[in-house]
Amino acid sequence: MWNNGTECLGGGFPMMMFGGVFMLVFWGLVIWLIVLAIRKLSSGDKSSQTDKAVEILKQRYSLGEIDTEEYRQRLHELTDKD
């Protein structure tokens, strides 16, 4: 009844090795997906951060805290796409 690992694909040691490798690959993928999700959630949206910075810059300009030249320079730095 038992083949004692004599069949190549019927079970035994070769299948145990495949199962171990598959388990490592599976858990590696799970950990990788968790890391990606954490990075995505912690980094936030870059465009929304730029929009907030531009809003603050507009407020400072309207309150007279910065002059026109400084406003234009900083606005160019914020909106310049590299």
Side-chain angles (χ1 to χ4, degrees):
M1 274 176 76
W2 298 96
N3 63 9
N4 296 324
T6 56
E7 290 183 31
C8 185
L9 296 177
F13 186 72
M15 290 306 288
M16 286 190 323
M17 289 300 293
F18 177 73
V21 170
F22 181 75
M23 184 178 66
L24 288 174
V25 170
F26 173 77
W27 285 112
L29 286 173
V30 168
I31 292 169
W32 180 65
L33 289 173
I34 290 171
V35 168
L36 284 180
I38 291 171
R39 283 185 181 177
K40 179 70 175 171
L41 292 174
S42 66
S43 68
D45 189 13
K46 299 293 183 189
S47 64
S48 67
Q49 292 176 353
T50 301
D51 293 342
K52 290 177 187 177
V54 169
E55 280 299 315
I56 292 171
L57 184 62
K58 287 179 181 179
Q59 288 175 355
R60 290 186 65 201
Y61 180 65
S62 68
L63 293 172
E65 294 178 3
I66 57 175
D67 61 358
T68 305
E69 182 179 332
E70 186 176 358
Y71 171 76
R72 287 182 181 160
Q73 178 185 3
R74 291 183 183 211
L75 183 63
H76 176 71
E77 291 172 1
L78 287 171
T79 57
D80 187 29
K81 305 288 185 207
D82 290 328

